[in-house]
Amino acid sequence: MFATKGLSKSFGRLTALLNVSFEVEEGEIFGIAGPNGAGKSTLFNVITGIYPPSSGRIFFRGKDITNYKPDQICHLGIARTFQIPTTFHTLSVYDNLRVGAIFGARRPQSADEVLELLGLEAVRHRPARNLDLYTTKLVMLGAALATDCKLLMLDEPMAGLSMAEINQFLEIVRRINQEKGVTIIIIEHLLDILISLTKRMLILSDGQVLYLGDSKEVTADRRVVEVYLGGKGGIAHAHR
Amino acid sequence: MKHVNWKFALAVLVLVFILLYPWLGASSYTKHLFILFFIWSIVAANWNLMMGYAGINSLGNIGFMAIGGYTAGILAKSLGVPPFLTIPIAGIVTSAVVTLALGLPALRLSGIYIALLTLIFADTLPSLLTQTREITGGAMGLHEIPPFYPGMDKTGAYYICFVFFLVVLFIIYRIVHSPTGMAFVALRDSENFAYCLGVNKFRERLKVFALSSLLTGAAGGMYVHALGDISPTTLGIEPFLLTIAMIELGGVGTFLGPILGAAVIVFGNEFLRLAGTLRLTLLGALICTIILFYPGGVIQLFHTIEHRVERLLNRKTPTT
Ligand SMILES: Nc1ncnc2c1ncn2[C@@H]1O[C@H](COP(=O)(O)OP(=O)(O)OP(=O)(O)O)[C@@H](O)[C@H]1O
Ligand SMILES: [Mg+2]
């Protein structure tokens, strides 16, 4: 349902992405990992139209969406969250969701559905600035979900959360995937989480594809072990 | 629910007072002050819509007012167009000019560059007025612009401006509480997040320019018919700074803030005329003091009082 072909992005002399091609199938949870600065967030930014790609093409449901603007991409059914927890801090929790519902889905009641799905009713009138990290992330996720997206892209959604919160969050991600049939692309540093959550994954290193394939076999890949896991499985875990 | 009633009662009380004021021994002079208050609070409220709600740092809104004022003034004086037409035309002309000549280019810029461009826009107007002296009166300005109706007195102008004030505030209230207002705030709080949630940032921001300049231009039209003249001094540094002060003093990004700020500045500024040349110094000191102790402006002072009152009420009648 989603694919990139030879996607590259340079910032001046820095090449953040080089010739990245991958495909995501309808209904799957697809993982992306890689060291700091590998270009994971840049990949999201290029896909969602924040930056135009330097070269390459992006396809969604058979349509070439390269160079679409972020709001157009949202209307086609792709929503995302940000690595830095982002909400509309002066708006209430409910109004945060309403932005996605009214402007993304053009269906106001989707805000109420998401409020219930994520169990945010108790804080619905609370200004978004007065929330703890976990709830802030839920609100950001909720706003994205309220756009009635078909593809949801999550950029390190679990960074900074406690183990208990991570498990709760994973539960929600699985439910969104299974109950609402939303396809998900998730960036996550912790490989074991990604292996248990996804069937297939992409590992980026220095803007290039290091690994693309079955999640179960990733730790057996010689290059992944060498470059990403640092031989002993150290680096990926040290990111926390 | 106590505090809602309390605030509502106060607002009604103030409005009833304003409604009855001309019969409560108002002098021609104090009526004049109220007219200034009605018009400047509308200019400030629209400026706040751009700066406070939408986060677009425009410095050109006095220019919007001047375009509206001159449009209405010239139409009425040279062509004899009646005021009930000149005011909407002033709004529409201002909106068209500002949206096309300022909004479109400004939206390609960001932050400080928008501020600079809007400032330059307003700054070129006085020299434009000198160039077109035959119709605009150049540095002398336009005088003896026809009033709202022949033989209008201060009380008539007072009520017409009061109605305009209420209508425009109602419109702004509706905008702020509509999806469009939510989009303005969302783009201000987090531009990229709003953009990725489907908010068309160019269209929404262009709407800010169009709406704010429409209502500010209409206020310019009200100004010339109520007061009879307009000149390039209307575009000077003093009205510019005073209007900015109204917004900052009242509370940026709040609905009532600019209105409270306009009240303090318009009435305070006149009151301080007693102090002669010290007027602006004292006004500056007043502004600094309020902002220093209540960075959120007068509206924050109100919230503090509200909190105290609530706590007092709660102590007297403990709940549960
Ligand atoms: N707007 C930008 N301008 C210039 N360089 C950028 C920009 N955005 C990202 N980069 C650079 O591109 C490279 C990739 O950054 P990116 O944020 O995509 O990495 P990442 O894989 O998400 O890393 P992390 O795990 O730390 O989030 C980095 O070297 C970064 O400095
Ligand atoms: Mg990143």
Side-chain angles (χ1 to χ4, degrees):
Chain A
M1 62 121 50
F2 176 83
T4 69
K5 290 218 166 68
L7 213 54
S8 299
K9 175 69 191 173
S10 316
F11 297 108
R13 262 193 272 123
L14 179 99
T15 304
L17 290 175
L18 187 64
N19 204 18
V20 175
S21 304
F22 69 101
E23 269 179 51
V24 179
E25 276 154 33
E26 187 91 47
E28 85 170 315
I29 303 182
F30 184 85
I32 297 179
N36 289 108
K40 305 180 296 294
S41 297
T42 303
L43 181 62
F44 271 24
N45 287 335
V46 170
I47 291 171
T48 53
I50 304 247
Y51 305 134
S54 306
S55 66
R57 309 225 65 88
I58 306 161
F59 299 92
F60 180 63
R61 298 192 147 179
K63 196 169 179 160
D64 187 338
I65 61 164
T66 321
N67 296 322
Y68 273 42
K69 296 270 171 280
D71 56 322
Q72 297 173 309
I73 286 177
C74 170
H75 291 143
L76 286 175
I78 302 181
R80 67 168 292 182
T81 64
F82 292 82
Q83 184 167 0
I84 300 165
T86 309
T87 55
F88 307 116
H89 59 274
T90 61
L91 295 180
S92 68
V93 166
Y94 185 56
D95 278 349
N96 269 266
L97 306 190
R98 287 217 308 150
V99 174
I102 291 173
F103 290 93
R106 301 195 177 101
R107 200 173 64 84
Q109 64 272 31
S110 90
D112 301 276
E113 294 162 14
V114 170
L115 203 66
E116 200 193 320
L117 179 79
L118 299 184
L120 287 168
E121 291 105 330
V123 291
R124 67 182 285 167
H125 296 301
R126 198 88 77 75
R129 80 161 84 72
N130 298 340
L131 300 171
D132 57 49
L133 181 67
Y134 180 73
T135 316
T136 301
K137 291 192 171 206
L138 275 192
V139 171
M140 173 165 64
L141 173 72
L145 265 184
T147 66
D148 281 346
C149 55
K150 310 288 178 294
L151 172 64
L152 178 62
M153 302 173 41
L154 306 171
D155 192 349
E156 293 195 38
M158 284 159 307
L161 298 183
S162 72
M163 215 52 220
E165 289 167 336
I166 288 179
N167 286 328
Q168 244 174 301
F169 201 94
L170 282 173
E171 193 50 47
I172 290 170
V173 170
R174 287 201 179 94
R175 246 177 54 211
I176 292 167
N177 175 247
Q178 280 157 20
E179 288 173 23
K180 301 198 66 157
V182 175
T183 308
I184 291 171
I185 302 179
I186 180 167
I187 298 176
E188 173 54 51
H189 269 309
L190 289 178
L191 266 190
D192 24 358
I193 288 185
L194 222 45
I195 291 168
S196 74
L197 185 67
T198 66
K199 269 210 195 60
R200 296 188 319 125
M201 70 163 84
L202 165 74
I203 295 185
L204 283 178
S205 173
D206 275 337
Q208 301 185 52
V209 176
L210 182 73
Y211 178 86
L212 175 62
D214 204 310
S215 299
K216 298 266 168 349
E217 286 152 30
V218 67
T219 47
D221 187 89
R222 194 180 48 80
R223 293 212 307 153
V224 173
V225 173
E226 246 169 50
V227 179
Y228 186 43
L229 301 178
K232 295 190 208 82
I235 289 178
H237 296 273
H239 276 305
R240 272 279 144 206
Chain B
M1 273 336 237
K2 243 172 214 143
H3 64 289
V4 175
N5 294 336
W6 175 78
K7 265 198 280 192
F8 187 70
L10 188 67
V12 169
L13 217 65
V14 170
L15 288 180
V16 168
F17 171 76
I18 295 177
L19 191 68
L20 297 179
Y21 184 58
W23 284 303
L24 300 175
S27 68
S28 170
Y29 172 64
T30 49
K31 277 183 271 188
H32 173 77
L33 287 187
F34 266 96
I35 290 170
L36 290 179
F37 161 69
F38 294 145
I39 292 172
W40 285 108
S41 44
I42 291 307
V43 175
N46 279 295
W47 203 332
N48 179 52
L49 190 64
M50 287 187 95
M51 232 172 19
Y53 283 99
I56 298 172
N57 288 318
S58 164
L59 296 178
N61 289 46
I62 296 284
F64 306 172
M65 185 189 180
I67 296 175
Y70 272 99
T71 306
I74 292 165
L75 284 176
K77 215 183 152 184
S78 313
L79 302 170
V81 181
F84 72 89
L85 284 178
T86 60
I87 289 160
I89 294 174
I92 291 164
V93 168
T94 309
S95 184
V97 171
V98 169
T99 309
L100 298 177
L102 186 63
L104 285 179
L107 291 181
R108 316 230 154 261
L109 309 172
S110 62
I112 185 84
Y113 297 102
I114 291 191
L116 282 175
L117 185 71
T118 51
L119 187 62
I120 290 166
F121 175 83
D123 233 32
T124 52
L125 292 178
S127 66
L128 210 68
L129 293 172
T130 331
Q131 297 294 316
T132 53
R133 161 170 328 107
E134 288 78 25
I135 36 171
T136 62
M140 301 295 296
L142 287 178
H143 299 280
E144 287 161 16
I145 297 163
F148 292 115
Y149 55 88
M152 176 186 81
D153 60 357
K154 274 279 179 240
T155 306
Y158 178 98
Y159 280 117
I160 291 173
C161 290
F162 182 43
V163 169
F164 175 77
F165 167 84
L166 291 177
V167 169
V168 176
L169 284 187
F170 177 72
I171 294 172
I172 293 177
Y173 186 85
R174 292 302 295 264
I175 293 173
V176 166
H177 291 89
S178 74
T180 300
M182 197 165 75
F184 293 173
V185 173
L187 284 168
R188 175 198 71 190
D189 281 1
S190 182
E191 181 174 326
N192 275 341
F193 191 34
Y195 207 9
C196 287
L197 290 174
V199 177
N200 183 331
K201 74 173 175 187
F202 291 103
R203 191 172 61 204
E204 297 305 324
R205 291 223 162 114
L206 214 53
K207 270 193 214 165
V208 180
F209 275 91
L211 287 170
S212 173
S213 60
L214 177 85
L215 298 173
T216 308
M222 293 298 290
Y223 180 91
V224 295
H225 289 298
L227 304 177
D229 41 39
I230 185 168
S231 72
T233 39
T234 318
L235 281 160
I237 188 81
E238 196 182 318
F240 170 79
L241 290 177
L242 288 182
T243 318
I244 296 259
M246 289 172 196
I247 303 166
E248 296 286 340
L249 190 65
V252 184
T254 62
F255 178 71
L256 286 178
I259 304 160
L260 295 173
V264 174
I265 298 281
V266 169
F267 297 108
N269 193 24
E270 287 306 314
F271 179 68
L272 287 172
R273 279 192 201 280
L274 299 171
T277 47
L278 274 179
R279 179 175 60 98
L280 284 179
T281 320
L282 288 175
L283 199 62
L286 173 72
I287 293 168
C288 288
T289 314
I290 295 190
I291 302 238
L292 213 60
F293 289 101
Y294 295 94
V298 178
I299 199 94
Q300 191 192 350
L301 180 75
F302 267 56
H303 286 317
T304 313
I305 295 172
E306 188 187 332
H307 259 70
R308 295 261 160 85
V309 170
E310 240 171 76
R311 245 190 299 167
L312 225 73
L313 288 174
N314 283 346
R315 209 175 298 159
K316 273 181 193 154
T317 52
T319 39
T320 64

Short mmCIF file of all heavy atoms in Angstrom, two decimals, chain A residues 89-112:
data_model
loop_
_atom_site.label_atom_id
_atom_site.label_comp_id
_atom_site.label_asym_id
_atom_site.label_seq_id
_atom_site.Cartn_x
_atom_site.Cartn_y
_atom_site.Cartn_z
N HIS A 89 -0.37 23.32 22.78
CA HIS A 89 -0.34 23.38 24.23
C HIS A 89 -1.39 24.29 24.85
O HIS A 89 -1.74 24.12 25.99
CB HIS A 89 1.07 23.72 24.73
CG HIS A 89 1.59 25.02 24.22
ND1 HIS A 89 2.23 25.13 23.02
CD2 HIS A 89 1.52 26.26 24.73
CE1 HIS A 89 2.56 26.39 22.81
NE2 HIS A 89 2.14 27.10 23.83
N THR A 90 -1.90 25.27 24.09
CA THR A 90 -2.93 26.14 24.69
C THR A 90 -4.34 25.59 24.48
O THR A 90 -5.28 26.07 25.09
CB THR A 90 -2.88 27.57 24.10
OG1 THR A 90 -3.15 27.49 22.69
CG2 THR A 90 -1.52 28.21 24.30
N LEU A 91 -4.46 24.58 23.62
CA LEU A 91 -5.78 24.00 23.39
C LEU A 91 -6.05 22.86 24.37
O LEU A 91 -5.11 22.24 24.88
CB LEU A 91 -5.88 23.46 21.96
CG LEU A 91 -5.81 24.48 20.82
CD1 LEU A 91 -5.92 23.79 19.47
CD2 LEU A 91 -6.89 25.54 20.96
N SER A 92 -7.31 22.56 24.60
CA SER A 92 -7.66 21.45 25.47
C SER A 92 -7.34 20.13 24.75
O SER A 92 -7.13 20.11 23.53
CB SER A 92 -9.16 21.49 25.79
OG SER A 92 -9.90 21.22 24.62
N VAL A 93 -7.31 19.06 25.52
CA VAL A 93 -7.07 17.73 24.94
C VAL A 93 -8.08 17.46 23.82
O VAL A 93 -7.72 17.05 22.71
CB VAL A 93 -7.17 16.65 26.04
CG1 VAL A 93 -7.26 15.26 25.43
CG2 VAL A 93 -5.98 16.76 26.98
N TYR A 94 -9.34 17.74 24.11
CA TYR A 94 -10.39 17.49 23.13
C TYR A 94 -10.17 18.32 21.87
O TYR A 94 -10.32 17.80 20.75
CB TYR A 94 -11.76 17.80 23.76
CG TYR A 94 -12.93 17.46 22.89
CD1 TYR A 94 -13.10 16.17 22.39
CD2 TYR A 94 -13.88 18.42 22.58
CE1 TYR A 94 -14.18 15.86 21.59
CE2 TYR A 94 -14.97 18.11 21.78
CZ TYR A 94 -15.12 16.83 21.29
OH TYR A 94 -16.20 16.52 20.49
N ASP A 95 -9.81 19.58 22.03
CA ASP A 95 -9.59 20.42 20.85
C ASP A 95 -8.37 19.96 20.05
O ASP A 95 -8.34 20.09 18.82
CB ASP A 95 -9.44 21.90 21.24
CG ASP A 95 -10.79 22.57 21.44
OD1 ASP A 95 -11.81 21.95 21.07
OD2 ASP A 95 -10.83 23.69 21.97
N ASN A 96 -7.37 19.41 20.72
CA ASN A 96 -6.23 18.83 20.00
C ASN A 96 -6.72 17.75 19.04
O ASN A 96 -6.33 17.71 17.89
CB ASN A 96 -5.22 18.23 20.99
CG ASN A 96 -4.16 19.22 21.41
OD1 ASN A 96 -3.08 19.27 20.82
ND2 ASN A 96 -4.46 20.06 22.40
N LEU A 97 -7.61 16.89 19.56
CA LEU A 97 -8.14 15.83 18.70
C LEU A 97 -9.04 16.42 17.62
O LEU A 97 -9.08 15.93 16.49
CB LEU A 97 -8.94 14.82 19.53
CG LEU A 97 -8.24 14.18 20.73
CD1 LEU A 97 -9.08 13.03 21.27
CD2 LEU A 97 -6.85 13.68 20.39
N ARG A 98 -9.75 17.48 17.97
CA ARG A 98 -10.67 18.08 17.00
C ARG A 98 -9.94 18.68 15.80
O ARG A 98 -10.50 18.72 14.71
CB ARG A 98 -11.52 19.17 17.68
CG ARG A 98 -12.58 18.58 18.60
CD ARG A 98 -13.85 19.38 18.57
NE ARG A 98 -13.60 20.81 18.81
CZ ARG A 98 -14.35 21.78 18.30
NH1 ARG A 98 -15.40 21.49 17.56
NH2 ARG A 98 -14.07 23.04 18.58
N VAL A 99 -8.71 19.16 16.01
CA VAL A 99 -7.95 19.67 14.86
C VAL A 99 -7.79 18.57 13.83
O VAL A 99 -8.07 18.75 12.64
CB VAL A 99 -6.56 20.21 15.30
CG1 VAL A 99 -5.74 20.60 14.08
CG2 VAL A 99 -6.72 21.41 16.22
N GLY A 100 -7.40 17.37 14.29
CA GLY A 100 -7.26 16.25 13.37
C GLY A 100 -8.60 15.83 12.77
O GLY A 100 -8.70 15.53 11.58
N ALA A 101 -9.65 15.85 13.60
CA ALA A 101 -10.95 15.39 13.14
C ALA A 101 -11.55 16.34 12.11
O ALA A 101 -12.06 15.91 11.08
CB ALA A 101 -11.90 15.24 14.34
N ILE A 102 -11.49 17.63 12.39
CA ILE A 102 -12.15 18.61 11.51
C ILE A 102 -11.32 18.86 10.25
O ILE A 102 -11.85 18.87 9.15
CB ILE A 102 -12.40 19.92 12.29
CG1 ILE A 102 -13.47 19.69 13.36
CG2 ILE A 102 -12.83 21.03 11.32
CD1 ILE A 102 -13.67 20.86 14.28
N PHE A 103 -10.01 19.04 10.42
CA PHE A 103 -9.20 19.41 9.26
C PHE A 103 -8.65 18.19 8.52
O PHE A 103 -8.48 18.24 7.31
CB PHE A 103 -8.08 20.37 9.67
CG PHE A 103 -8.60 21.71 10.04
CD1 PHE A 103 -8.91 22.01 11.36
CD2 PHE A 103 -8.83 22.66 9.06
CE1 PHE A 103 -9.43 23.26 11.70
CE2 PHE A 103 -9.35 23.90 9.39
CZ PHE A 103 -9.64 24.19 10.71
N GLY A 104 -8.37 17.12 9.26
CA GLY A 104 -7.82 15.94 8.60
C GLY A 104 -8.92 15.04 8.05
O GLY A 104 -8.95 14.74 6.86
N ALA A 105 -9.84 14.64 8.94
CA ALA A 105 -10.89 13.69 8.53
C ALA A 105 -12.11 14.40 7.97
O ALA A 105 -12.89 13.79 7.25
CB ALA A 105 -11.30 12.84 9.73
N ARG A 106 -12.27 15.68 8.26
CA ARG A 106 -13.50 16.42 7.94
C ARG A 106 -14.72 15.67 8.48
O ARG A 106 -15.74 15.54 7.84
CB ARG A 106 -13.62 16.64 6.43
CG ARG A 106 -12.45 17.41 5.84
CD ARG A 106 -12.75 17.91 4.44
NE ARG A 106 -11.65 18.71 3.93
CZ ARG A 106 -10.73 18.24 3.07
NH1 ARG A 106 -10.80 16.99 2.65
NH2 ARG A 106 -9.78 19.03 2.64
N ARG A 107 -14.53 15.13 9.69
CA ARG A 107 -15.57 14.33 10.33
C ARG A 107 -15.44 14.57 11.82
O ARG A 107 -14.73 13.85 12.52
CB ARG A 107 -15.33 12.85 9.98
CG ARG A 107 -16.52 11.93 10.15
CD ARG A 107 -16.21 10.55 9.62
NE ARG A 107 -15.16 9.87 10.35
CZ ARG A 107 -15.35 9.19 11.49
NH1 ARG A 107 -16.54 9.08 12.00
NH2 ARG A 107 -14.33 8.61 12.10
N PRO A 108 -16.13 15.61 12.35
CA PRO A 108 -15.93 16.03 13.74
C PRO A 108 -16.07 14.90 14.75
O PRO A 108 -15.37 14.88 15.77
CB PRO A 108 -17.01 17.08 13.95
CG PRO A 108 -17.32 17.59 12.58
CD PRO A 108 -17.10 16.44 11.65
N GLN A 109 -16.99 13.95 14.50
CA GLN A 109 -17.23 12.93 15.53
C GLN A 109 -16.05 11.98 15.72
O GLN A 109 -16.00 11.25 16.70
CB GLN A 109 -18.53 12.15 15.25
CG GLN A 109 -18.55 11.33 13.98
CD GLN A 109 -19.03 12.15 12.77
OE1 GLN A 109 -18.82 13.35 12.69
NE2 GLN A 109 -19.65 11.49 11.81
N SER A 110 -15.07 11.99 14.80
CA SER A 110 -13.93 11.09 14.99
C SER A 110 -13.13 11.50 16.23
O SER A 110 -12.44 10.68 16.83
CB SER A 110 -13.06 11.04 13.73
OG SER A 110 -12.07 12.03 13.75
N ALA A 111 -13.23 12.77 16.63
CA ALA A 111 -12.56 13.19 17.87
C ALA A 111 -13.14 12.46 19.07
O ALA A 111 -12.40 12.02 19.96
CB ALA A 111 -12.69 14.70 18.06
N ASP A 112 -14.46 12.31 19.10
CA ASP A 112 -15.10 11.61 20.22
C ASP A 112 -14.73 10.13 20.23
O ASP A 112 -14.51 9.54 21.28
CB ASP A 112 -16.62 11.77 20.13
CG ASP A 112 -17.03 13.24 20.16
OD1 ASP A 112 -17.15 13.78 21.25
OD2 ASP A 112 -17.16 13.84 19.07
#
